[in-house]
Amino acid sequence: MSLTTIITLSNKQGMQIKLSNWGATWLSCLIPVDNKNREVLLGCSSLAQYQQQHAYLGATIGRYANRIAHASIELGDKRYPLVANEGKNQLHGGKLGFDKQLWQIDDQSNQQVIFSLISCDGDQGYPGELKVEVTYQLTDNNQVIIMFNASTTQTTVVNLTNHAYFNLDGETSNTILNHTLQVNANQFLPVDNHGIPDDNLASVAEFDMDLRQAKRLSDRLLESSERQKTGGYDHAYLLDKTQPIAAQLTSSDNKVTMNVITTKPALQVYTGNFLQHTPNRHNGEYDNYAGIALEAQFLPDSPHHPKWPQPSCWLTPDETYQYQTIYQFLIE
């Protein structure tokens, strides 16, 4: 077994990101603001802490990001029980998801690295051997491009994402609630207390979930009945694909803006409602709301809802899974 490795990518603007083959994880994101480097990604002080934390900090998530109800999928008349790791449900691919695997480093340069992984038939209950490739690219215009590719030997479900937590004020600033967020989505998915969809897609005008105009995250945060269930935002938004960007996040000092652009149909907005006690880089701990995750993916529990208006989450042996997400940083 090869050792864990840390890889640094840097661009002509002075931006630098760090990555590890443990979980194909995005460890750090330094951007120059007022002639100082600002760390805008939550992270731990050691790889050992990454392996112990439960917040999926910066990790590649698979086979299936988000939740699958009752930890099972059905294909034809066959039922596949999956490994449950959140009560009776499965979250983020099971107890030993892709975030807990040592990935191969296939190729690397100053501005790109390619990680690969083979997930065996039956891994966490999923059918088919799945070959996965994740490419991180740092461009000279401060874009972090994450490309996901996968192929399978049997029909299976695939939903890959990255679980970075951002704090554009700098990760030592303790809270993202003074950031503003815009999400170009007309519909979102209501969930129950376990984060499982309990209804069909709803208009964002319901339950005060509308983010089509930039909104401060602290604004009526726990007044919505939907956000009360989840302790803040932890909801999937079905993206309006007529819009060029999925979301825009802006720091409270207005010096850093991050655009999210993705070919995925939905965006999970998670305000870090349960980050408390997650180890940070400074031998301390993060608190709730220390960072926000904007995870591009299929809608949660999609295997049980084939009629939702999005591409199929099922991958067949004659298809290639191919999606990408871009995080672009604009500095005032």
Side-chain angles (χ1 to χ4, degrees), residues 121 127-131 151-155 316-317:
D121 181 21
E129 179 185 272
L130 192 74
K131 291 184 177 176
S151 59
T152 182
T153 60
Q154 291 180 53
T155 300
T316 62

Side-chain angles (χ1 to χ4, degrees), residues 70-132:
H70 308 293
S72 71
I73 55 175
E74 295 77 35
L75 180 58
D77 56 4
K78 183 156 186 190
R79 179 178 174 272
Y80 292 91
L82 308 176
V83 174
N85 63 324
E86 193 181 61
K88 63 184 179 181
N89 306 311
Q90 190 189 81
L91 173 66
H92 291 334
K95 288 180 181 173
L96 291 173
F98 292 177
D99 60 296
K100 297 177 180 68
Q101 306 299 320
L102 197 64
W103 292 59
Q104 188 85 21
I105 301 169
D106 285 353
D107 187 56
Q108 71 179 98
S109 62
N110 289 337
Q111 290 185 237
Q112 181 173 290
V113 60
I114 301 173
F115 298 110
S116 67
L117 181 72
I118 296 178
S119 171
C120 67
D121 181 21
D123 185 9
Q124 304 302 292
Y126 290 97
E129 179 185 272
L130 192 74
K131 291 184 177 176
V132 187

